[in-house]
Each structure stands twice: as C-alpha cells, then as structure tokens.
Amino acid sequence: MSTFLFLAGGVGFLISIIFIIVNIIRRKKIKKPLIAGGVCIFLFIVSLSMPTSTPTNNSVESNKKEPAREVTKTETKEKQKESLETKPVTTEKKVEPKKDDNKITYENFLSIRMNQSYEEAKSILGEGTENSSSEIGGMSTKMYTWKGKGISNMNMTIQDGVVVGKAQFGLNKNNSGITLEKYNSVNEGMTLEEVNSILGEGGLTSQTQIMDLECSIYSWANKDGSNCDITFQGGVVNMKAQFGLK
C-alpha cells in the first residue's frame, strides 16, 4: 500500500509542477492545480512516513534457511538413532590360555611302579576306566585303561589293590634308526644298558611282575615302520623279535 501511495503521490506532484509551469507561461489562473499539487505532495509525504511491509533480502534468506536447519537437525537425530539401533553390542571376552590337563604321558607311565597301590597310581593318572574284573582263589584282579592324545593309551593290571602290570601304546615317539646288523648284535643275557649302547635308548612298552619275577618289553622303531622288541626277564635279555629291519 505504501508503495502505491509513494508512486501516486510522486507522479501527481510532478504532473502538478508541470501544469503550474505551463499555466504561468500562459498566464492563467492556477488555483486548482495548486490544490491538486498540494494533495499529491501530502500523499507523497504520507507514503514516505509509512513503514514498509516488504521483507528484506536478509529476512527472506533467513526464512528460507530456517527450514533447512530444522531438516538437518531432524536428519541428524534420525541417523544417530539408526546408528544406535543398528550398531551391534560387542563384549570383550578374555581368552584364557588353554591348559593341557592330559596326564596320560610317557613320563607318567614310567613313574608307575610295580607293587604301587592303585590310589597312588590314580593320583598320578587320574581315575581309569575299568575294563575287566575277576576273582580267583580270593585274589581280586582288575584291569583299567586310560586314553591319551590321538590313539595313544595305556592300561594297568591291579591285583588285590596294587599294580602288577602296565602297558602303553603310542605315548613315546621312537625314531631309533636301527638296522638288522645292530639287531643281530644283541644277544641273550645282555643288560638294558648294553642293549641301549647298541640300538640307542628304547621305549618301555610293557612291564609285569609275578611274585618276585619281573618281565619288561622294550621297543625300537624306525620311520618306515620297521621295528624290534626285546624282552628282559630278571634284568637281562630273554627274547627278541624284529619286523622289516634291513
């Protein structure tokens, strides 16, 4: 509205000035043009004094930018909410070192002695699995088995509560490098120390004791599977056997 009054007053003022000048030149009466010019000047002044309602560029830009800021904040909140909902919750677990609780080893097998009580043997190896049980003439005989890693295992014969026999398979790694010539050098009556000096240290495979007679079997093996077994009775070589030696 103020813009219209401003333009109307300005145009009317100019027209009045021109009309007055023309009438002065022609020497005519200028009462009516003066009134019209005064009215135009009044309208022009009123238009100047009225506040403009036209929004400034800054306010327009501000109004345009406000929705953008609101959308940005909303999108940010939604993204944060989505990230919280989709982010998997992870809990760190302490990885404890794996303990080797296997007691069925060659070292523990060797530590089992003849005439040792089953309770003492059990404290070393743990509880065994009973495979057989018999009683003859008031004498109780039981056989127990323990499983090691892979196919390795050991068994024990218990008579009246004490160890009278033990045997193992696969508990010791034996790579002797023996030959048929070395094997032939072993003779009956040799001690274990004498045999070991020829073949190298063998592995105890089984041991039994009946009354006061103790019998032990030691084995030597090569990578190709060839091997030999030597039986000691009373501490000396009593018997020997071989397979595949060259």
Side-chain angles (χ1 to χ4, degrees), residues 99-105 108 125 147-149 152 171:
K99 296 180 180 179
D100 186 7
D101 293 329
N102 183 26
K103 296 180 179 180
I104 314 307
T105 63
N108 284 344
L125 303 173
K147 290 184 178 180
K149 291 183 179 179
S152 64
L171 293 181

Side-chain angles (χ1 to χ4, degrees), residues 102-120:
N102 183 26
K103 296 180 179 180
I104 314 307
T105 63
Y106 184 64
E107 289 73 19
N108 284 344
F109 172 76
L110 292 178
S111 68
I112 303 300
R113 305 182 310 275
M114 294 299 102
N115 293 318
Q116 187 177 34
S117 70
Y118 175 68
E119 293 301 320
E120 290 177 320

Side-chain angles (χ1 to χ4, degrees), residues 114-140:
M114 294 299 102
N115 293 318
Q116 187 177 34
S117 70
Y118 175 68
E119 293 301 320
E120 290 177 320
K122 187 170 66 174
S123 67
I124 298 172
L125 303 173
E127 185 70 58
T129 302
E130 185 178 321
N131 291 335
S132 63
S133 177
S134 64
E135 187 172 343
I136 300 174
M139 184 178 290
S140 173

Side-chain angles (χ1 to χ4, degrees), residues 3 34 41 120 207 217 246:
T3 303
L34 286 173
I41 291 170
E120 290 177 320
Q207 184 178 11
I217 299 176
K246 297 178 182 178

